[in-house]
Amino acid sequence: MPFASERLAGWLSPKWLVAGVALAADGLLMSYDLRLGIAASVLLGVIAAMWLYLALRYGSLSGAPSGRSALVAQVRVQESNRRRAAATMRGKSGPQQSADPSQRP
């Protein structure tokens, strides 16, 4: 199961693309009409403040371990358990060996 590194996932997130496009649109709007651009900037500021609050309170900026990392660790443990069980079953389900003649009564 491929997954991005925890450190890189934050910087490669689509939220930064969306934020960049929103800022560019705000700049274009400001060049068209100053009052409308200021209103859009205030709206973007409120949204950014709410996102920052939620990120600090519950999200990745809170310092708490992420739910994703715990889930990835659990999946890795389950995968290793399955591989170990498959390896033991492979050893048991092979062809039966005949009894050693020296061990016969």
Side-chain angles (χ1 to χ4, degrees), residues 64-82:
S66 69
R68 181 183 181 276
S69 61
L71 184 62
V72 167
Q74 183 181 4
V75 167
R76 285 184 179 166
V77 168
Q78 286 179 349
E79 185 179 4
S80 68
N81 287 344
R82 287 180 181 149

Side-chain angles (χ1 to χ4, degrees), residues 25-86:
D26 186 40
L28 287 172
L29 196 58
M30 238 187 233
S31 70
Y32 175 71
D33 185 13
L34 185 62
R35 288 187 298 175
L36 192 58
I38 290 173
S41 295
V42 168
L43 181 63
L44 282 175
V46 168
I47 290 171
M50 287 174 31
W51 174 81
L52 186 63
Y53 170 74
L54 291 174
L56 287 172
R57 178 86 169 137
Y58 304 108
S60 61
L61 300 177
S62 67
S66 69
R68 181 183 181 276
S69 61
L71 184 62
V72 167
Q74 183 181 4
V75 167
R76 285 184 179 166
V77 168
Q78 286 179 349
E79 185 179 4
S80 68
N81 287 344
R82 287 180 181 149
R83 284 185 182 161
R84 195 174 327 120

